[in-house]
Amino acid sequence: MRLHVADHPLIAHKLTVMRDENTESPTFRLLVDELVTLLAYEATRDVRVTQIQVTTPVATTTGTHLAAPRPIVVPILRAGLGMLEGMTRLLPTAEVGFLGLQRDEKTYEAITYANRLPDDLSGRQCFVLDPMLATGHTLVAAIDYLLEKGARDVTAICLLAAPEGLRTLDEAIGERGDVTIVTAAVDERLNEHKYIVPGLGDAGDRLYGVVD
């Protein structure tokens, strides 16, 4: 597993405003969208391409085109939906699949409740959107699911990560796939409730409000 922390002043600035508990949902949603686009730029650095011939108004030249099969973007419901537009802005031709995973607040394990993905992901580059890599259980479940469907090249884009979650993911995935984590920051730790510290709270609630 590879880890890429996107060290950029604009990313740090947006993340700082998002951390502020006084930042309201509309601003938070806008900042997530902008931050994901910046992270997506880093995450797609190794996206597969092919060369094609194009004719400009002046001459014929060799250009670059995204290779087939198209990449697939997989937001983890529900908070991952807030990252989808920022990602597809950079990869508009990508297909979009969905995974519904939620954390059991007693065991902190991930529970799958919905999925909408192709049956065969062989040869596909997969980009998973999950705002918070905390315990790592949700992302492990998501990547396991993709690997079971034949994927081998998986990049997860997270706003924040905790050291505990990174260790869990590294131990669980091992050498079974080519997995990269792209994040804006790796924070200090998890607290007793398994929230990232200093973190930014519950990303889903801050995006969409509290839903009982």
Side-chain angles (χ1 to χ4, degrees):
M1 185 187 84
R2 294 186 300 275
L3 172 66
H4 178 76
V5 180
D7 182 16
H8 192 284
L10 289 179
I11 290 175
H13 166 75
K14 293 177 191 300
L15 183 58
T16 299
V17 179
M18 289 167 61
R19 290 187 191 274
D20 189 338
E21 64 181 0
N22 296 312
T23 298
E24 297 183 351
S25 287
T27 303
F28 190 88
R29 284 195 295 270
L30 176 63
L31 289 169
V32 168
D33 180 77
E34 294 174 349
L35 180 55
V36 171
T37 299
L38 293 173
L39 293 176
Y41 180 80
E42 297 294 331
T44 55
R45 187 174 295 277
D46 294 322
V47 70
R48 295 184 194 130
V49 295
T50 185
Q51 291 187 332
I52 62 170
Q53 293 290 318
V54 293
T55 302
T56 78
V58 178
T60 299
T61 187
T62 301
T64 298
H65 195 271
L66 291 183
R70 290 184 290 168
I72 186 166
V73 177
V74 185
I76 305 300
L77 304 178
R78 71 180 163 131
L81 284 176
M83 303 170 70
L84 180 57
E85 187 173 346
M87 184 70 189
T88 54
R89 180 178 297 114
L90 215 62
L91 270 181
T93 61
E95 292 186 353
V96 178
F98 297 94
L99 268 179
L101 296 167
Q102 64 185 24
R103 185 172 75 169
D104 186 302
E105 294 304 326
K106 293 182 179 179
T107 66
Y108 305 114
E109 297 291 330
I111 302 170
T112 303
Y113 64 87
N115 73 79
R116 184 70 173 176
L117 287 165
D119 291 331
D120 186 4
L121 292 172
S122 301
R124 303 286 293 272
Q125 286 184 291
C126 300
F127 294 91
V128 180
L129 308 180
D130 190 16
M132 311 296 283
L133 175 49
T135 64
H137 296 311
T138 298
L139 202 51
V140 166
I143 294 175
D144 273 341
Y145 193 83
L146 298 176
L147 295 179
E148 288 170 7
K149 286 183 170 288
R152 289 296 175 267
D153 187 341
V154 180
T155 298
I157 300 174
C158 307
L159 304 179
L160 287 178
E164 296 92 331
L166 290 168
R167 285 195 296 270
T168 296
L169 190 63
D170 191 33
E171 292 168 2
I173 301 302
E175 302 298 322
R176 292 183 295 132
D178 183 9
V179 176
T180 301
I181 308 299
V182 177
T183 185
V186 177
D187 274 5
E188 296 172 12
R189 58 183 172 86
L190 298 178
N191 65 14
E192 64 275 16
H193 301 295
K194 307 302 181 183
Y195 279 93
I196 298 175
V197 178
L200 49 76
D202 187 298
D205 288 349
R206 296 198 66 187
L207 280 162
Y208 303 117
V210 179
V211 179
D212 295 328

